[in-house]
Amino acid sequence: MMLSGVRLLWQIEVSDIPEQVEALISKTRSVYDAVGALAPEKANYNSVIKPLADIECEYSVERNNLDFLQHVSTDKELRDASCDADKKLSEFDVEMSMRTDVFEAVVTVQRKMDVRKMDPEAIRYIERLTKLGKRNGLHLQKEVQTKVKELKKRISDLSIDYSKNLNEENTVLDFTEEELAGVPEDFMKGLERTADGKCKVTLKYPHYFPCMKKARNPATRKALETAFNSRCLKENSAILEELVRLRHEKAQLLGFPTHAAFVLDMRMAKKAEAVTTFLSELATKLTPLRDEEFKLFLKYKKEESEKYGYPNDGKINMWDLRYYMSLLEEREYSIDQNKLKEYFPMSVVTKGLLDIYQELLGLKFTEMRDADVWHDDVKMYSVKDTKEHKLLGFFYLDLYPREGKYGHAACFGLQPGCVAHDGSRQLAVAAMVANFTKATVTQPSLLNHDEVETYFHEFGHVMHQLCAQAKFALFSGTSVERDFVEAPSQMLENWVWEKEPLSRMSSHYKTWDAIPDNLMECLMRSRVANAGVFNLRQITLATFDQTIHTQSQVDTAKVLSEVSERVMGIKPTPGTNMAAAFGHMAGGYDAQYYGYLWSEVFCMDMFFSRFREEGIMSPNVGADYRRCILMPGGSLDADVMLRNFLGRDPKPDAFLLSKGLQPDPVEEVKEPEKGSKVTTSKSITNKK
């Protein structure tokens, strides 16, 4: 069933794709040609800016329609055709981004414009186009532009290949039931078997993580972890190392010392030094927490070795981490994840999640029956504003793993919400893609609590896509600074740690009883469990990312090993290279992985300062959040949005407390000139 306002079509044949690609390229190029051919005296907003904005609005939808299928289709031929389309369109994107004639037309309009008579977002759009043109070297000599263009095309192709390799990865390991001792019985029953009765375990999340958390045989965990961190080892290690070299070369051509410096110039952090300081200072404060956790891990390891007769090498290895983190939750916080997940059946979690978001943000979701989708598992919903009864757009939920499907959890913006060429508003459409455990014959889909948290996080991105009301596609949805983009969705993760919302999204899948109060209290208390290890792992990945992107060429396995040993206190398993399967490095997060921790400073401040103070289900605070944080999209700078919502500049106190740390006592500092007082918190210390 086709829906009015949705320009996406999913019943596409392999043979249709090349023709659609060519038609899209031809249509878009003609607009750029017309703009580029204008004489300077004829360059104005209506002849230059509006045509570029209009074609971007149309192009984004048609492009997303064609290249999204590589991530979700069950048909390998269609996935391959979609990937090929992505490559061709990416090359075209590079070509259009390097149009000097179009850039000069935009600059001419910028020189002529009277900002007193213009819409602020239109001014921002013109300024952004000019800045992006300069970041492509369009103000530099022709030889430099030609080289930048070549580099951009090669970088694009390599990034697509890296991601495709990961999506197509399909390793399976075989284990006896004895080798999987400790994993939940229901999990074991759901595994396919070999001809000789062994269990077939894939490296997809719903198989890998339960085994790493519960399989008590260290040899089993080592085999799995080695395979997991060896995915696409040969091909993707080489690709990433070439990407690093090419990114550095491009940055230097454009006048930046490193790729990190080039990227951060458009981010909240601004400077690589600010990121390095943030990560290193936080790591220093978290290290004592990790040391305490490691002491417990080694104690557990000794006990288990003596009990089951496993060898004990007296250290924590990569394949030990998730197992002993899970054991710490059980022993120190009385959290049994296997029992806990019985209270999180997918149907109950989904209903609770949708109800909470609707109530909080003043929205109404309606499932669209018989909608045009790409797989039978996919559901589609409309989104309306409850006050004005205005249709904002639609979202898809594609929640379970399949062969060849995108292997992580993510939100894909498919149709940007923006003003269309005729002045009407184009509806926003987004898809949440995940890999949660599917239902079996004996039980429904049950989510671990961390999967519930992931669900809330990614759906937060969906809401950002749907609630944003920017006028230009360039600023639609989540088109904010990359080191802020996670904050709105991270902020909404807090609801899975609070009693009222937890009660609304849970009940036992057999009895429908609520989570017992004592288990609920243990769960909420366990939020800081493993805070040292977990966050130092994030710092390890962020530091690795910054390190490789401040160098001209690297051995990624060597750098990762050095950083991991220095920050985490653990060396990677010999022969592995997690960097070959670090999808963020080819998926738009290069030199930006630090943003996950950086943006947590803002998300925790927003939650504790407004929602915790005024009511976590307060529709008034929810309305402010939607208006100040979600609605602008990228039409305002992130620091402006934060001040609008908080009424002040952000502070790190709530972030530090959420990590098991606390700020130093607040000091009073006098300003000599005026004699007024301000408060400051200058460093962080470990929580006692």
Side-chain angles (χ1 to χ4, degrees):
M1 178 182 71
M2 291 294 298
L3 294 167
S4 177
V6 179
R7 297 174 50 213
L8 301 152
L9 299 170
W10 301 117
Q11 308 313 310
I12 299 175
E13 299 293 330
V14 172
S15 58
D16 295 336
I17 291 181
E19 185 179 325
Q20 291 181 24
V21 168
E22 290 303 326
L24 179 56
I25 287 175
S26 177
K27 177 174 67 173
T28 307
R29 181 180 278 118
S30 66
V31 173
Y32 275 73
D33 287 347
V35 169
L38 284 170
E41 63 271 15
K42 293 188 176 181
N44 55 50
Y45 185 91
N46 288 326
S47 64
V48 174
I49 306 304
K50 188 176 187 306
L52 292 176
D54 289 345
I55 195 61
E56 183 178 19
C57 173
E58 292 183 29
Y59 177 81
S60 299
V61 184
E62 295 180 46
R63 191 200 199 293
N64 291 337
N65 202 157
L66 291 167
D67 71 30
F68 177 62
L69 291 166
Q70 67 185 295
H71 303 296
V72 294
S73 176
T74 55
D75 183 342
K76 188 175 188 314
E77 284 190 29
L78 194 58
R79 291 199 304 273
D80 289 345
S82 172
C83 186
D84 290 341
D86 191 8
K87 280 191 174 181
K88 186 149 192 175
L89 290 168
S90 293
E91 288 188 5
F92 176 70
D93 292 342
V94 172
E95 184 185 334
M96 293 303 100
S97 73
M98 300 301 295
R99 290 284 296 259
T100 309
D101 53 351
V102 174
F103 172 70
E104 289 173 351
V106 173
V107 171
T108 299
V109 174
Q110 186 179 33
R111 280 201 304 264
K112 292 180 181 179
M113 68 183 186
D114 184 350
V115 295
R116 296 169 300 176
K117 299 177 180 177
M118 291 184 65
D119 173 68
E121 189 175 336
I123 296 170
R124 183 180 178 85
Y125 182 69
I126 295 168
E127 290 173 343
R128 182 63 57 85
L129 292 183
T130 305
K131 172 115 179 173
L132 293 174
K134 289 180 178 178
R135 285 172 63 81
N136 284 324
L138 298 185
H139 61 307
L140 302 175
Q141 294 178 343
K142 196 68 179 175
E143 309 86 73
V144 176
Q145 294 178 32
T146 302
K147 186 60 179 175
V148 168
K149 185 176 178 179
E150 290 174 3
L151 290 169
K152 286 184 68 174
K153 284 187 175 182
R154 180 63 178 157
I155 288 168
S156 174
D157 283 350
L158 288 170
S159 299
I160 293 168
D161 287 342
Y162 183 105
S163 298
K164 182 184 179 184
N165 291 338
L166 274 180
N167 286 348
E168 298 293 337
E169 204 285 330
N170 58 3
T171 299
V172 176
L173 283 73
D174 302 334
F175 296 103
T176 63
E177 289 195 5
E178 184 181 3
E179 288 171 327
L180 291 175
V183 303
E185 185 180 342
D186 62 308
F187 173 82
M188 193 96 75
K189 286 180 180 177
L191 295 174
E192 291 183 30
R193 304 288 170 136
T194 62
D196 58 354
K198 287 187 175 181
C199 302
K200 298 170 75 172
V201 179
T202 73
L203 300 179
K204 305 297 183 187
Y205 288 1
H207 279 191
Y208 179 73
F209 289 124
C211 290
M212 294 307 293
K213 290 177 179 179
K214 291 296 181 181
R216 62 173 174 251
N217 187 331
T220 299
R221 297 196 308 271
K222 182 178 181 180
L224 272 167
E225 188 271 332
T226 300
F228 187 77
N229 286 324
S230 299
R231 288 173 297 159
C232 309
L233 180 66
K234 185 177 179 181
E235 58 270 44
N236 276 4
S237 294
I239 287 175
L240 181 55
E241 286 164 14
E242 186 175 354
L243 281 171
V244 167
R245 182 176 61 78
L246 298 178
R247 287 165 177 165
H248 181 82
E249 185 178 353
K250 180 167 75 76
Q252 293 216 311
L253 283 171
L254 296 170
F256 291 88
T258 65
H259 179 64
F262 171 76
V263 168
L264 295 172
D265 181 56
M266 293 279 284
R267 303 295 175 258
M268 294 184 79
K270 299 300 181 191
K271 302 285 185 184
E273 294 78 12
V275 175
T276 301
T277 299
F278 171 72
L279 294 173
S280 61
E281 288 186 353
L282 185 57
T284 299
K285 303 307 175 184
L286 287 164
T287 298
L289 297 183
R290 179 210 62 192
D291 292 345
E292 292 300 314
E293 291 156 5
F294 272 17
K295 284 180 186 176
L296 290 172
F297 291 176
L298 289 168
K299 175 188 167 204
Y300 303 155
K301 188 168 187 174
K302 183 174 183 293
E303 291 170 355
E304 293 230 323
S305 297
E306 292 171 353
K307 182 176 181 180
Y308 298 111
Y310 297 131
N312 182 7
D313 59 6
K315 62 181 181 180
I316 299 301
N317 304 290
M318 279 295 179
W319 60 84
D320 293 323
L321 269 184
R322 294 187 187 276
Y323 181 74
Y324 291 114
M325 288 170 74
S326 178
L327 214 52
L328 184 147
E329 290 178 352
E330 289 181 18
R331 296 192 182 182
E332 309 303 319
Y333 295 90
S334 303
I335 293 293
D336 183 340
Q337 293 290 352
N338 289 330
K339 283 198 175 297
L340 187 61
K341 75 177 184 179
E342 294 178 359
Y343 290 91
F344 292 117
M346 175 64 83
S347 58
V348 175
V349 173
T350 298
K351 183 181 185 304
L353 176 146
L354 297 180
D355 286 348
I356 288 167
Y357 272 96
Q358 288 175 99
E359 181 179 328
L360 200 61
L361 300 177
L363 302 171
K364 172 67 177 174
F365 305 152
T366 304
E367 185 176 351
M368 311 306 294
R369 305 289 182 181
D370 302 317
D372 178 33
V373 294
W374 53 88
H375 191 272
D376 290 343
D377 286 346
V378 180
K379 293 185 177 181
M380 185 183 191
Y381 295 80
S382 65
V383 180
K384 283 187 177 180
D385 174 80
T386 54
K387 189 173 288 186
E388 298 180 4
H389 307 289
K390 181 174 74 173
L391 181 65
L392 300 178
F394 300 86
F395 65 84
Y396 302 95
L397 295 180
D398 184 356
L399 303 178
Y400 305 109
R402 295 187 296 275
E403 180 75 23
K405 182 183 170 183
Y406 179 80
H408 305 279
C411 168
F412 291 81
L414 299 175
Q415 181 169 298
C418 57
V419 175
H421 69 94
D422 61 358
S424 64
R425 182 150 192 95
Q426 177 170 279
L427 299 175
V429 183
M432 179 183 162
V433 176
N435 288 273
F436 299 132
T437 304
K438 204 168 184 179
T440 65
V441 176
T442 56
Q443 70 179 29
S445 171
L446 300 176
L447 301 184
N448 292 316
H449 182 257
D450 58 356
E451 291 180 308
V452 178
E453 188 173 45
T454 296
Y455 201 166
F456 261 73
H457 176 98
E458 296 303 339
F459 197 78
H461 286 310
V462 173
M463 290 296 94
H464 202 169
Q465 293 282 2
L466 271 291
C467 291
Q469 294 294 297
K471 297 171 184 176
F472 293 88
L474 185 64
F475 301 135
S476 65
T478 57
S479 302
V480 298
E481 295 95 321
R482 182 68 81 174
D483 49 5
F484 178 71
V485 72
E486 298 297 335
S489 49
Q490 286 172 333
M491 202 279 295
L492 291 152
E493 290 177 23
N494 285 288
W495 272 252
V496 308
W497 296 99
E498 298 288 328
K499 188 169 185 178
E500 180 187 350
L502 271 171
S503 299
R504 294 175 60 172
M505 68 179 87
S506 62
S507 62
H508 197 278
Y509 80 101
K510 287 182 178 177
T511 65
W512 305 112
D513 290 341
I515 298 178
D517 286 345
N518 64 327
L519 184 55
M520 180 83 79
E521 291 300 322
C522 288
L523 173 60
M524 292 189 293
R525 198 166 55 88
S526 73
R527 187 169 193 179
V528 294
N530 299 302
V533 170
F534 177 83
N535 289 291
L536 282 170
R537 181 178 181 274
Q538 287 294 88
I539 293 172
T540 296
L541 297 179
T543 303
F544 165 78
D545 176 28
Q546 287 295 304
T547 302
I548 64 173
H549 287 117
T550 52
Q551 297 181 24
S552 58
Q553 53 185 15
V554 293
D555 177 336
T556 52
K558 183 181 178 185
V559 172
L560 182 60
S561 180
E562 291 170 351
V563 172
S564 181
E565 186 173 20
R566 184 176 77 248
V567 178
M568 278 281 289
I570 307 178
K571 291 190 75 168
T573 304
T576 66
N577 185 14
M578 176 268 176
F582 192 3
H584 293 76
M585 295 300 92
Y589 274 79
D590 42 293
Q592 299 163 92
Y593 194 82
Y594 76 92
Y596 282 98
L597 283 167
W598 183 278
S599 58
E600 270 197 75
V601 173
F602 311 126
C603 87
M604 289 301 176
D605 199 5
M606 288 191 286
F607 177 71
F608 282 92
S609 299
R610 294 293 313 272
F611 286 99
R612 179 62 73 76
E613 286 293 318
E614 301 173 49
I616 60 169
M617 290 305 301
S618 165
N620 291 331
V621 183
D624 283 350
Y625 179 73
R626 181 178 157 193
R627 175 176 55 83
C628 298
I629 302 296
L630 302 182
M631 283 182 67
S635 65
L636 295 174
D637 287 345
D639 59 349
V640 174
M641 291 188 270
L642 285 164
R643 280 194 294 272
N644 289 344
F645 181 69
L646 295 169
R648 55 165 172 76
D649 287 332
K651 297 190 295 190
D653 301 31
F655 166 73
L656 297 171
L657 289 168
S658 76
K659 301 301 179 191
L661 306 167
Q662 65 180 12
D664 274 344
V666 174
E667 300 177 348
E668 288 190 347
V669 180
K670 290 187 178 181
E671 291 187 63
E673 291 146 18
K674 298 179 183 176
S676 60
K677 294 180 179 178
V678 296
T679 59
T680 181
S681 177
K682 63 181 181 181
S683 63
I684 49 181
T685 57
N686 295 310
K687 189 175 182 181
K688 301 296 182 187

